[in-house]
């Protein structure tokens, strides 16, 4: 394949068109553009080659490894089609042809490019990127078979997302919380874990309300579950209350994705006249479209019924006061599973303290540890796993002695 063909095939990508938006690959295309230009100059080619290598070396020194990873993670029409049905013959042929071309590209060196441009002896001072021969056909077929666990596009690179202007945005540095770092509420968490396993297995899964006192690990439980099951195809989408109206459109897109999603709403509560109240009711089960089987809503709240009520709400002038109260309580009833996280009694608090002390390597007599932790909890407003963790972290930092 000569230089003009390399350049034309790059610009003619159809299935893997999205690769051209990748910064490193875009700079490689620019390099071939400069080399094939009728008025090419050594300076322009040198600048393009250096720019490409600088971008590549930020990730790896091996172009074959970088390109193959980009190919396997790319969101394409073929991988979306394969997730729901057979890939049409026209698309399959195009896919095979482009994979064959990209396989050859993984092994292409700078010297081979310069030789194809008739400039084999030029730019000897530039570093040479490494290459890697890879069977992209086999690797891509394997990835297609695992798309329900590894995902594609940004879902292959990230497992936690937020919502901005109705679009998913990856969280590059999510909370690394693990389940084995959360002692004391194993029985409560097991219900949520079992529901998550059902979601991953494609079985009917409930929307979950984690309700209870502040600092008892409700949010940490959801984040830890997302980390625990990321490799099994679970993705977490954190949604703020004022974004709920944007979620129906987003759910329609996620419903066609082979991965499983938790829509996570933290610290949820409403006032009686809150417009977001009706939006969440529709998301949970009230819309005509029904619920997607690969999506569940997990919400945390310090309020069992989610609605802030006042005494005047109960003694107001509403003629059908009972109907109104039923309406207000109907939201929490739409969560099929409610798990209560109560403030720990003394025995559970001591279990949590002991386990956290082990995790952090705290060497302190047990009785002294418990006595100081109780005093710390009183000053902090009461016992909770959060208070226990704060105390242990202060001990590890040398603040508590």
């Amino acid at each position: 394949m000569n230089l003009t063909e390399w350049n034309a095939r790059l610009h003619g990508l159809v299935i893997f068109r999205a690769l051209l938006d990748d910064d490193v690959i875009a700079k490689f295309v620019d390099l071939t553009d400069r080399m094939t230009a009728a008025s090419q100059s050594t300076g322009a080619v040198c600048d393009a080659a250096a720019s490409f290598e600088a971008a590549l070396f930020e990730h790896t020194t091996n172009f074959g490894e970088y390109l193959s990873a980009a190919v396997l993670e790319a969101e394409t029409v073929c991988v979306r089609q394969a997730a729901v049905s057979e890939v049409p013959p026209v698309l399959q042929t195009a896919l095979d042809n482009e994979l064959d071309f990209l396989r050859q590209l993984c092994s292409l060196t700078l010297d081979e490019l310069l030789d194809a441009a008739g400039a084999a002896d030029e730019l000897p001072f530039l570093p040479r990127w490494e290459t890697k021969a890879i069977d992209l056909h086999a690797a891509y077929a394997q990835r297609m078979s695992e798309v329900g666990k590894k995902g594609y596009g940004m879902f292959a690179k990230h497992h936690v997302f937020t919502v901005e202007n109705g679009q998913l945005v990856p969280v590059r540095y999510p909370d690394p919380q693990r389940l084995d770092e959360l002692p004391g509420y194993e029985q409560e968490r097991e219900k949520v874990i079992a529901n998550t396993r059902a979601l991953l297995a494609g079985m009917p899964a409930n929307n979950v309300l984690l309700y209870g006192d502040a600092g008892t690990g409700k949010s940490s439980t959801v984040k830890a579950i997302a980390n625990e099951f990321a490799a099994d195809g679970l993705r977490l989408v954190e949604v703020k209350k004022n974004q709920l109206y944007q979620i129906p459109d987003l759910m329609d897109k996620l419903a066609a994705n082979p991965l499983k999603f938790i829509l996570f709403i933290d610290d949820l509560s409403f006032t009686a006249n809150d417009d977001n109240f009706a939006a969440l009711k529709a998301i949970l089960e009230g819309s005509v479209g029904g619920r997607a089987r690969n999506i569940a809503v997990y919400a945390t709240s310090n309020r069992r019924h989610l609605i802030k009520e006042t005494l005047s709400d109960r003694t107001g002038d509403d003629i059908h006061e009972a109907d109104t109260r039923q309406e207000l309580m109907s939201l929490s009833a739409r969560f099929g599973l409610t798990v209560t996280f109560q403030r720990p009694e003394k025995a559970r608090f001591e279990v949590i303290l002991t386990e956290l002390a082990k995790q952090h390597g705290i060497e302190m007599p047990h009785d002294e540890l418990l006595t100081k932790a109780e005093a710390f909890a009183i000053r902090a407003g009461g016992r909770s796993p959060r208070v226990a963790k704060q105390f242990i972290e202060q001990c590890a930092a040398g603040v508590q002695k």
Side-chain angles (χ1 to χ4, degrees):
M1 193 178 298
N2 60 40
L3 184 58
T4 302
E5 289 177 308
W6 284 112
N7 182 256
R9 290 295 300 272
L10 281 166
H11 282 286
L13 288 173
V14 176
I15 303 300
F16 291 98
R17 193 78 188 166
L19 292 180
L20 302 182
D21 295 326
D22 181 279
D23 183 59
V24 174
I25 298 172
K27 283 181 167 58
F28 183 81
V29 175
D30 181 59
L31 172 58
T32 64
D33 287 344
R34 302 281 184 93
M35 286 181 161
T36 55
S39 58
Q40 65 164 282
S41 67
T42 301
V45 172
C46 180
D47 179 66
S51 180
F52 162 67
E53 290 190 308
L56 174 65
F57 292 168
E58 287 289 330
H59 305 274
T60 177
T61 59
N62 195 306
F63 182 45
E65 288 183 354
Y66 184 89
L67 179 59
S68 61
V71 168
L72 296 179
E73 293 174 353
E75 179 176 351
T76 71
V77 63
C78 288
V79 75
R80 291 196 301 268
Q81 186 73 32
V84 295
S85 62
E86 292 282 331
V87 177
V90 172
L91 293 182
Q92 186 64 53
T93 300
L95 173 65
D96 292 339
N97 289 338
E98 291 190 8
L99 285 174
D100 187 59
F101 162 68
L102 293 166
R103 175 188 60 79
Q104 297 177 59
L105 197 59
C106 285
S107 301
L108 187 64
T109 67
L110 177 58
D111 289 318
E112 289 171 334
L113 265 181
L114 291 171
D115 185 54
D121 298 328
E122 296 180 4
L123 312 179
F125 54 87
L126 283 179
R128 266 48 181 170
W129 64 77
E130 299 171 301
T131 62
K132 180 180 181 180
I134 180 172
D135 186 350
L136 270 184
H137 289 278
Y140 200 76
Q142 177 71 16
R143 174 54 68 94
M144 293 268 273
S145 69
E146 298 173 339
V147 70
K149 289 187 176 181
K150 294 188 176 180
Y152 50 75
M154 64 180 178
F155 300 110
K157 299 178 182 179
H158 307 278
H159 74 282
V160 179
F161 302 84
T162 57
V163 179
E164 292 184 9
N165 299 319
Q167 302 297 318
L168 291 186
V169 176
V171 176
R172 299 188 182 280
Y173 305 102
D175 188 338
Q177 186 72 68
R178 309 298 302 184
L179 285 172
D180 56 12
E181 298 171 347
L182 297 172
Y185 286 80
E186 290 79 7
Q187 186 173 356
E188 288 85 350
R189 269 190 293 276
E190 188 53 44
K191 297 176 183 178
V192 188
I193 293 171
N195 190 73
T196 305
R197 291 186 188 278
L199 176 67
L200 290 169
M203 300 167 59
N206 288 301
N207 296 316
V208 182
L209 175 63
L210 295 85
Y211 147 77
D213 297 302
T216 50
K218 302 182 296 295
S219 300
S220 294
T221 292
V222 178
K223 295 173 184 177
I225 286 175
N227 294 334
E228 190 78 15
F229 294 103
D232 297 313
L234 183 66
R235 301 294 182 264
L236 183 74
V237 179
E238 185 168 11
V239 181
K240 295 179 175 60
K241 189 181 76 170
N242 61 1
Q243 296 173 323
L244 290 175
Y245 72 94
Q246 301 174 348
I247 301 306
D249 289 340
L250 183 62
M251 290 180 72
D252 287 342
K253 298 175 184 176
L254 296 181
N257 197 299
L259 296 169
K260 305 300 188 294
F261 294 88
I262 290 175
L263 298 184
F264 175 42
I265 312 170
D266 197 19
D267 196 20
L268 183 63
S269 65
F270 297 100
T271 59
N273 297 320
D274 198 326
D275 291 339
N276 293 302
F277 176 83
L280 181 57
K281 283 182 65 176
I283 290 169
L284 291 174
E285 64 178 46
S287 67
V288 294
R291 268 188 59 202
R293 293 178 66 89
N294 66 329
I295 302 173
V297 177
Y298 285 18
T300 68
S301 179
N302 297 336
R303 295 175 176 272
R304 173 65 179 85
H305 293 298
L306 304 178
I307 306 296
K308 295 179 182 179
E309 289 186 275
T310 64
L311 288 175
S312 62
D313 292 331
R314 300 196 174 204
T315 59
D317 56 1
D318 191 341
I319 297 176
H320 302 289
E321 188 264 345
D323 290 345
T324 300
R325 287 183 50 76
Q326 183 66 32
E327 168 72 11
L328 295 178
M329 290 188 295
S330 67
L331 181 60
S332 58
R334 291 172 187 250
F335 289 92
L337 176 62
T338 299
V339 182
T340 304
F341 287 70
Q342 295 180 329
R343 188 181 295 273
E345 68 284 359
K346 184 175 182 180
R348 179 181 284 191
F349 186 66
E350 292 179 356
V351 170
I352 294 171
L353 273 171
T354 302
E355 182 57 35
L356 289 177
K358 289 180 182 177
Q359 291 178 14
H360 287 76
I362 303 300
E363 295 183 1
M364 184 184 296
H366 188 64
D367 290 344
E368 182 182 350
L369 180 74
L370 298 183
T371 300
K372 289 186 175 182
E374 280 290 340
F376 183 87
I378 291 173
R379 293 193 298 271
R383 306 184 190 101
S384 74
R386 180 184 295 159
V387 168
K389 184 177 181 181
Q390 290 170 345
F391 172 74
I392 292 298
E393 288 177 342
Q394 290 189 18
C395 288
V399 177
Q400 295 285 341
K401 297 181 179 179

